[in-house]
Amino acid sequence: MPNRLLSPSLRRMSRLAPFLDPQSVSLKVCGVTNAADAERLVELGVDAIGVNFWSGSPRHVSSTDAGWLTSLEGRILRVGVFVNAPPELQIRLVREGLLDLVQLHGDETPADAAALREAGIPFIKALGVKTHADLDRVENFRAAAVLLDAHAPGVYGGTGETFDWNTALDFKSKHPQLPLILAGGIKAENAASAVEMLHPSALDVASGAESSPGVKDFDKVSAILRALNR
């Protein structure tokens, strides 16, 4: 069936499926702040971009200034990153055609995610990993994928810090049905090791692809892609 004939929810899922396909590790570059950087990432063959709508982030993009995302539809997966935001905003941006996918990167509960499920909008739940106990409630979210990041209370990611990947390995063995996205200090120097150890569905990179917060370094992006044999 041609993609244009699918319902909006099925169209979103059809875009998400290749990104989460475990047969090849995808790359998501997070903290993209402008159209020019997004276009360059499309040219390089990056699979997804993350746009941070949390006002506390140095990579923040206002929802009123995010119209440039519409021109990327169908060319790269567009992920909106939210921290404890009202679901009405998330749903509106998806339905207006700015986003394909929502990433809940705050202190959200499974109940908070219910509105997205009811709206047929796929989402990623990000969890900051400090101990194994941090991961116990993950299945209750019924997310399309789980993103594991370094524990960063009050900062919510983007610190460039790694965490003990053995915790992620244990998580994957306990939840083999859940696509795993690995974040936290990923860069060209450790990307191949992360893939070899964990075989995640995707790697998520923010500071490892920047010269400063929100300023993308395309040499670093290219080096990560080479590390993934892309």
Side-chain angles (χ1 to χ4, degrees), residues 23-45:
Q23 299 304 312
S24 61
V25 179
S26 299
L27 178 63
K28 172 174 170 276
V29 174
C30 205
V32 178
T33 60
N34 60 76
D37 283 359
E39 290 289 347
R40 182 68 179 124
L41 293 171
V42 171
E43 293 171 5
L44 289 173

Side-chain angles (χ1 to χ4, degrees), residues 65-120:
D65 296 328
W68 50 271
L69 285 165
T70 58
S71 66
L72 301 168
E73 184 174 5
R75 300 165 59 212
I76 194 168
L77 192 71
R78 303 161 301 168
V79 184
V81 180
F82 299 89
V83 173
N84 305 329
E88 294 80 11
L89 171 63
Q90 302 158 9
I91 293 169
R92 177 174 65 82
L93 293 179
V94 172
R95 289 181 171 169
E96 289 178 353
L98 275 72
L99 300 174
D100 302 299
L101 179 66
V102 167
Q103 180 173 314
L104 302 178
H105 210 99
D107 307 307
E108 300 88 2
T109 67
D112 295 327
L116 294 175
R117 293 196 301 270
E118 292 167 3

